[in-house]
Amino acid sequence: MNNDKIRVKDEALQRGAEAGMDEFLKVFTDKYLEITGGVINAETMPLLNGYQHSLLGYHFFREEVLEGGFIQLIQNGYGPYIFDNPFAKAMRLFGAKDFSKLIYDAKKIYDAHREDLEKERTDEEFMAMYEQYEAFDDIEEAYMEMEEMVTATIAEYVDEHLEQFAEIEK
């Protein structure tokens, strides 16, 4: 499916841009979440193009990692969406090169321990994972330090390539 089905209002983009980079990006990601019903699976994957999936991936990544780190991201089922897709490559193409490297570093840990990381857990077992997977700590810390810059870089890329992310309605 192409962008002629995904439309965002120019006025919503203007309002978002005035409110800040994350609000600007949210105009797009809210639309993608609406179209996919917030579910990414075999049925909904074709509803978005690669650019749109990359931006939605960043939305999930940012939301999950800022709240609960890579453990939460993976336990909430986003591991495959981030690590099995060309997300890191897309982030590099969007201009977020250091962030892209960080994703590749996290992917190494994910790939090495995938089965265990994705296992269903009790709340207690989930909390224990943070000690078990301290290897993610430095990567999470690095992301926290670069998050604003990464979000700004991605917002700039989206702004310069609007037609890849949605059709803008006057």
Side-chain angles (χ1 to χ4, degrees):
M1 177 177 137
N2 59 20
N3 292 348
D4 61 6
K5 299 256 195 282
I6 297 181
R7 296 187 176 96
V8 296
K9 297 223 178 287
D10 188 41
E11 127 194 9
L13 284 181
Q14 298 300 331
R15 273 198 314 272
E18 286 167 19
M21 314 161 287
D22 36 359
E23 289 300 313
F24 170 73
L25 294 176
K26 193 174 181 315
V27 173
F28 294 96
T29 56
D30 281 356
K31 191 58 137 173
Y32 304 161
L33 290 168
E34 179 190 316
I35 285 169
T36 61
V39 177
I40 301 302
N41 59 26
E43 269 176 51
T44 60
M45 283 295 280
L47 300 177
L48 303 177
N49 69 30
Y51 291 93
Q52 294 162 339
H53 275 296
S54 298
L55 184 55
L56 188 57
Y58 183 66
H59 162 79
F60 289 134
F61 179 90
R62 182 172 177 262
E63 205 170 68
E64 298 291 326
V65 172
L66 288 179
E67 189 180 301
F70 284 97
I71 299 296
Q72 181 175 309
L73 174 84
I74 295 164
Q75 278 285 299
N76 283 345
Y78 297 112
Y81 192 53
I82 298 298
F83 299 117
D84 292 347
N85 285 305
F87 178 71
K89 182 180 181 186
M91 293 301 104
R92 191 180 75 236
L93 295 173
F94 286 15
K97 291 176 182 58
D98 290 341
F99 177 55
S100 174
K101 287 180 195 147
L102 196 134
I103 301 296
Y104 284 119
D105 289 344
K107 180 177 171 38
K108 288 177 191 154
I109 300 166
Y110 174 74
D111 287 345
H113 304 281
R114 181 175 186 154
E115 195 176 321
D116 186 55
L117 282 164
E118 291 182 344
K119 210 165 45 185
E120 283 286 319
R121 307 217 179 232
T122 65
D123 287 348
E124 206 172 283
E125 290 169 330
F126 170 75
M127 294 312 288
M129 289 177 76
Y130 286 97
E131 280 181 41
Q132 190 182 348
Y133 290 102
E134 287 178 343
F136 284 126
D137 291 356
D138 290 344
I139 302 170
E140 289 165 4
E141 209 169 291
Y143 174 67
M144 301 298 181
E145 289 173 17
M146 68 170 71
E147 182 272 325
E148 251 180 69
M149 190 64 201
V150 172
T151 301
T153 300
I154 292 169
E156 190 178 320
Y157 184 88
V158 170
D159 193 36
E160 291 170 4
H161 303 87
L162 288 172
E163 70 286 350
Q164 300 296 342
F165 296 93
E167 186 179 305
I168 313 305
E169 290 182 332
K170 295 290 170 210

